[in-house]
Amino acid sequence: MTVTGAAPPQVPRSALADTVLERLTAAYEAAHDPGRAVSMRAYMKDAAPFLGIPTPARRALSRTVLAGTPRPAEADCTAIALRCWALPEREYHYFAVDYLRRYAARCSSGFLPVTRYLVTTAPWWDTVDLLAAHVVGTLVAADPKLTADMDTWITDGDLWVARTALLHQLTWKERTDAERLFGYCLLQSGHPDFFIRKAIGWALREYAKTDPEAVRTFLARERGRFAPLSVREALKNIGV
């Protein structure tokens, strides 16, 4: 895990964020389970401290926290996400990710720098993958000009930024830009890190549900450039 030294984006004023964070911290702190927190932190390889709230209970609490609150504007999404990320326990980050997944369509392309900060701050697969597929992917789909940013992210020295670029089309199905997906995979084919190699295989496997022949053809031509893990993951459901 890495934590960048980049300064966070400015947190805008938001009355909605004030309300949500007051309710959220009270609800989550009341559910704190120190014993469970230790095991959850260990399971996530010490990515962050935990409060020890299991997922079903956490989501039930989150629904209570958000009951009666209005739909947010982009500034509210920014404030809630950044204020949650400033709290150390991972459950607050999960709340922010779930909130952004729900309201990503209310954010403009100007929200992309916020997602980059979230991806590169206390990063681990549990938050990065959901942000990539359901927040960054939503932003890029709504504003294709952001593909230029993805073309930059794929070669970024931060592996979590590159992983985000690999996975941002994960839910696009027939809207996937296959040429760009294959190109990204090739650009990172020699990467030594497990998380990039796994992401290559995952992205290809997901697209294979839409166009298995395209993935087979691509790997028949290029598989020698990929780690066995990437190839195995890509072909898991379609065979050679």
Side-chain angles (χ1 to χ4, degrees):
M1 187 184 76
T2 60
V3 178
T4 69
Q10 183 175 3
V11 180
R13 293 183 179 178
S14 166
L16 177 57
D18 291 342
T19 297
V20 168
L21 267 293
E22 181 179 3
R23 292 182 182 180
L24 180 65
T25 52
Y28 277 18
E29 287 293 340
H32 182 201
D33 183 334
R36 190 184 295 271
V38 171
S39 61
M40 292 174 71
R41 182 169 186 164
Y43 177 75
M44 282 298 172
K45 307 297 185 184
D46 203 30
F50 280 78
L51 290 167
I53 309 172
T55 298
R58 175 176 57 79
R59 288 180 173 160
L61 288 171
S62 298
R63 288 192 293 270
T64 300
V65 167
L66 294 175
T69 59
R71 292 198 302 167
E74 183 173 325
D76 300 315
C77 291
T78 299
I80 288 170
L82 293 177
R83 288 175 65 176
C84 283
W85 234 259
L87 297 170
E89 292 85 7
R90 200 61 159 177
E91 286 88 347
Y92 294 115
H93 303 178
Y94 293 160
F95 177 88
V97 171
D98 288 345
Y99 195 81
L100 293 180
R101 289 178 66 184
R102 183 176 180 181
Y103 292 115
R106 297 186 63 79
C107 296
S108 71
S109 56
F111 192 74
L112 191 66
V114 177
T115 67
R116 183 186 172 96
Y117 174 77
L118 302 180
V119 162
T120 57
T121 302
W124 198 239
W125 62 265
D126 56 337
T127 55
V128 169
D129 293 356
L130 293 173
L131 289 168
H134 299 287
V135 182
V136 175
T138 297
L139 296 175
V140 178
D143 183 0
K145 293 192 296 294
L146 293 180
T147 56
D149 293 270
M150 296 299 99
D151 290 348
T152 300
W153 286 26
I154 189 58
T155 58
D156 196 277
D158 187 310
L159 73 89
W160 298 107
V161 175
R163 183 173 167 103
T164 298
L166 282 165
L167 298 178
H168 83 277
Q169 297 190 81
L170 202 65
T171 66
W172 287 19
K173 299 181 179 179
E174 68 281 349
R175 296 179 295 118
T176 300
D177 182 338
E179 182 178 354
R180 178 166 271 106
L181 170 62
F182 295 156
Y184 283 8
C185 291
L186 288 171
L187 281 169
Q188 289 293 351
S189 61
H191 200 289
D193 192 273
F194 166 85
F195 285 104
I196 293 296
R197 294 180 173 189
K198 184 79 169 183
I200 290 170
W202 183 15
L204 292 173
R205 184 176 79 243
E206 196 63 27
Y207 183 56
K209 296 176 182 178
T210 298
D211 192 343
E213 193 55 39
V215 174
R216 285 194 194 96
T217 300
F218 171 66
L219 287 175
R221 184 178 68 247
E222 305 287 0
R223 69 182 298 158
R225 298 176 61 176
F226 292 101
L229 169 65
S230 300
V231 175
R232 185 169 62 251
E233 287 293 320
L235 297 176
K236 183 175 290 185
N237 298 324
I238 62 173
V240 179

